[in-house]
Amino acid sequence: MKPLRDEDALVKEIARHFLPNRERRLRLGIGDDAALWEPRPGFASILTSDWFLEGSHFLREKHPPDSVGWKCLARAASDIAAMGGTPRCFLLNLGLPPAATGKWLKSFLGGLRRAAKSLDCVLAGGDTTRSKRILISVTVIGQIREGQEVLRSGARPGDLLYVSGTLGEAELGLRLLRKQRGNVNPRNAAMRKHLYPEPRVALGRWLAERKLATAMMDVSDGLSNDLPRMCAASGVGALIDPGKLPVLPGIPTDSARRLALHGGDDYELLFTVSPGNLASLSANIRKLRLTQIGKITKELGVRIIGSAGKLEPLRVAGWDPFRQ
């Protein structure tokens, strides 16, 4: 596929991958100055926006273009899942160098279309421009029944702290990708977790509908970064038992725990549950493991049980684009 000749051709190529539009609440999509979205009666709209930048979030020479397309939507949709909502439509803002408007763009749109189909989330519009590097910004509109939304601020002392899936897997996948030469092997579980993360929409909705989670967020920047944010929003602290972390098998315990505590890009759900609701919480939801990793405390700050059994402050060492 040759590079596209102008912006109109670029917009037509994007639209060709996503039309026709089947979302009934999207009254007007691609092709006008703006889209028209009609929320369902009795539902609140959830809005989120996410950058995905070449050099910061992906490497053009390493990441397959279709994985960039998949991931830019999946990671934004994870924010909707973290409130218990369902993604419905999205806006795509895309800055491209001319060289990326050919083969790279076609593969990127293929991955984006697969993610949109998997999430049942339609493209409503967006904007395109020329840039020296690939710049992607995705805005997702989701919905949730009024009163069911789960916030970061609902955790209370005595609540138990849970996480879905395995932590640290995506970070290991990134490390393997950086060492990889030649074609990427998507059958490697860690590599796939990094390239094609699956936002936990069904789990978030299940917890919200049953009012089981008192607070919830997704783990995108690493547990050591994200848990303090939940605690700050709730005005509480937390205690982590490192022996309970759902770590990667087959690697040294200390390395696996560091990955679980500080590795980013997992897009698992971190949530708290009142002890009175434990009987309603299964260990697995749709084959997805749920693990209790600690508890919420009245004492502020996040602590971890050290090697000698002594409580220690949890070092913040996850992803932060502004950390020196």
Side-chain angles (χ1 to χ4, degrees), residues 18 73 112-121:
F18 291 92
L73 178 57
L112 180 60
R113 183 178 59 217
R114 286 193 298 107
K117 184 177 180 180
S118 173
L119 293 164
D120 194 19
C121 183

Side-chain angles (χ1 to χ4, degrees), residues 25 52 61 70 79 93 127 150 167 190 199 215 273 309 311:
R25 297 292 163 181
F52 203 47
E61 68 275 14
W70 174 283
D79 289 333
N93 292 322
D127 193 22
V150 186
L167 296 181
V273 178
L311 303 188

Side-chain angles (χ1 to χ4, degrees), residues 112-317:
L112 180 60
R113 183 178 59 217
R114 286 193 298 107
K117 184 177 180 180
S118 173
L119 293 164
D120 194 19
C121 183
V122 301
L123 178 62
D127 193 22
T128 56
T129 191
R130 176 173 176 156
S131 63
K132 292 182 179 180
R133 288 190 173 191
I134 299 170
L135 311 175
I136 306 166
S137 177
V138 174
T139 297
V140 179
I141 299 175
Q143 66 180 25
I144 190 168
R145 191 175 294 277
E146 292 277 5
Q148 284 188 356
E149 59 273 7
V150 186
L151 310 181
R152 297 182 181 184
S153 55
R156 298 292 177 262
D159 285 353
L160 301 177
L161 187 63
Y162 275 81
V163 71
S164 65
T166 301
L167 296 181
E169 197 167 22
E171 175 66 26
L172 178 61
L174 174 59
R175 295 180 184 183
L176 293 175
L177 182 70
R178 288 180 179 276
K179 297 177 182 178
Q180 181 89 23
R181 292 185 179 181
N183 294 331
V184 170
N185 178 13
R187 288 177 293 182
N188 179 284
M191 190 91 76
R192 187 162 188 84
K193 181 76 172 282
H194 170 68
L195 295 173
Y196 306 98
E198 296 185 14
R200 305 306 188 185
V201 175
L203 173 61
R205 190 165 55 231
W206 188 86
L207 291 167
E209 289 173 349
R210 289 159 179 78
K211 297 188 180 298
L212 294 179
T214 53
M216 187 159 61
M217 67 182 298
D218 70 335
V219 182
S220 55
D221 294 334
L223 184 65
S224 68
N225 274 40
D226 291 325
L227 179 54
R229 292 166 179 161
M230 176 185 283
C231 289
S234 295
V236 296
L239 177 62
I240 294 176
D241 183 345
K244 293 182 177 180
L245 291 170
V247 299
L248 286 160
I251 62 176
T253 301
D254 286 347
S255 296
R257 286 180 180 174
R258 282 195 297 271
L259 284 169
L261 288 171
H262 310 304
D265 254 10
D266 280 316
Y267 302 104
E268 298 292 350
L269 291 185
L270 175 69
F271 59 97
T272 55
V273 178
S274 169
N277 283 331
L278 282 187
S280 302
L281 192 67
S282 303
N284 295 275
I285 304 297
R286 297 186 179 183
K287 298 182 180 181
L288 180 63
R289 179 172 56 160
L290 306 182
T291 306
Q292 181 196 336
I293 62 171
K295 64 181 180 180
I296 298 299
T297 64
K298 186 176 180 180
E299 182 180 352
L300 300 181
V302 179
R303 297 170 296 161
I304 188 169
I305 301 173
S307 56
K310 184 179 178 181
L311 303 188
E312 303 171 354
L314 177 62
R315 181 173 61 94
V316 176

Side-chain angles (χ1 to χ4, degrees), residues 80-93:
I80 305 293
M83 297 188 78
T86 303
R88 286 304 184 199
C89 64
F90 70 100
L91 302 174
L92 173 67
N93 292 322

